Amino acid sequence: MTPTADAPNVLIVDDHSDTLDMLSDALGAEGMLTTPVSDGRAALSIIARSQPDIVLLDALMPDMDGFEVCQVLKTEMGLSDLPVMFMTGRNDSEHVVRALACGGVDFIAKPIVLSELFARMRVHLTNARKTRSAREALDSIGRRIVAVDKAGNVLWATPQAQDLLMRIGLRAEEGSALPWEVKVWLESAPSQDAPAYVYRRFEREVELRTMERRADGVALIRLIDREAGTQEERLAQAFNISPREAEVLLWLTHGKSNKEIAEILQLSPRTVNKHLEQIFEKLGIENRTAAATMSVRVLWD
């Protein structure tokens, strides 16, 4: 199968040439682009120049093993969204734990069953694509979102969140530690239903809300400048609509399709359609263009 323009780019890292050849041929036949390399340092050099869509990484290699490579990718290079699948001939619990602990998303034992590999790769590629799409959407819409690990260290932040954090005197680059009082709040706020926390500094108040808390301890935190409020709150107040309807309207205003809105808000497309029908009725309009126009007038006021 000839790879298409949007074919996934797969980096294969293994110190055995027969494995590299086998996987390159098999993935190529599935319509994927492949880049085979035989050691970890070469892999890091390639990723620094051009990020692949997914990495198939041999766990045990001389000089620099796969666990070290993954650790560098996830921490020093900041590629937390890049899916890494480990490959090894040793299917023991120690390797599974090490693979997942250093940031791997999956573990597949050798000899590799190709049908199983392809199925798992498709799942991880789809999840990674959704994550990147949501991150890009958050950046474009101006959302102030910070992702932190279970120790309270910054994993990534949208540009708008970085700006707000710096304005209250906090470091925003990857690896920076949040203040101890915020860490204490995080430990006691395991879900998005937990009470918000207000951080006060330089005569400014920033509200922190937990958006999501994953099983691995990673938390998504939304920052809100208490002086300005959120865009959703302004829309909800202006049009007397619910908070969820305001979220849907905001993403619509930024040009997102119903399918994209559903993915971002983790709703079904049918639910998004239902919210839009209610929004149109409450605003007394008939289409998306009219809704976006009214929304822009409120947000730009």
Side-chain angles (χ1 to χ4, degrees), residues 98-159:
R98 286 188 67 189
L100 298 178
C102 69
V105 297
D106 209 343
F107 184 99
I108 191 160
K110 295 179 180 179
I112 295 171
V113 179
L114 290 176
S115 59
E116 180 182 350
L117 173 66
F118 297 156
R120 293 189 180 193
M121 286 181 66
R122 291 188 185 99
V123 170
H124 296 307
L125 284 166
T126 298
N127 290 340
R129 189 160 47 246
K130 288 181 178 179
T131 299
R132 283 195 298 270
S133 175
R135 284 275 299 276
E136 291 168 359
L138 290 172
D139 287 353
S140 66
I141 200 173
R143 284 288 187 98
R144 299 183 177 100
I145 307 296
V146 179
V148 299
D149 62 20
K150 59 185 177 182
N153 300 314
V154 175
L155 297 175
W156 58 263
T158 62

Side-chain angles (χ1 to χ4, degrees), residues 34-53:
T34 61
T35 303
V37 294
S38 58
D39 67 88
R41 297 191 188 282
L44 292 175
S45 178
I46 288 173
I47 293 172
R49 298 194 304 268
S50 177
Q51 183 180 327
D53 295 302

Side-chain angles (χ1 to χ4, degrees), residues 198-265:
V198 178
Y199 183 80
R200 297 175 176 87
R201 196 175 186 190
F202 299 155
E203 298 183 353
R204 197 181 195 104
E205 292 186 346
V206 174
E207 184 176 306
L208 289 78
R209 298 180 185 175
T210 305
M211 293 180 60
E212 181 182 346
R213 196 67 177 264
R214 299 199 321 231
D216 59 2
V218 173
L220 290 183
I221 302 173
R222 185 174 182 188
L223 309 180
I224 299 169
D225 188 342
R226 291 286 288 265
E227 291 183 4
T230 68
Q231 292 178 316
E232 294 96 322
E233 288 169 346
R234 292 165 64 190
L235 291 175
Q237 184 176 10
F239 300 126
N240 193 27
I241 57 180
S242 71
R244 178 60 86 183
E245 290 168 349
E247 284 186 312
V248 172
L249 177 56
L250 182 61
W251 287 111
L252 179 151
T253 305
H254 285 268
K256 299 301 177 184
S257 67
N258 288 10
K259 182 179 179 182
E260 290 171 323
I261 295 172
E263 290 182 354
I264 293 167
L265 298 181

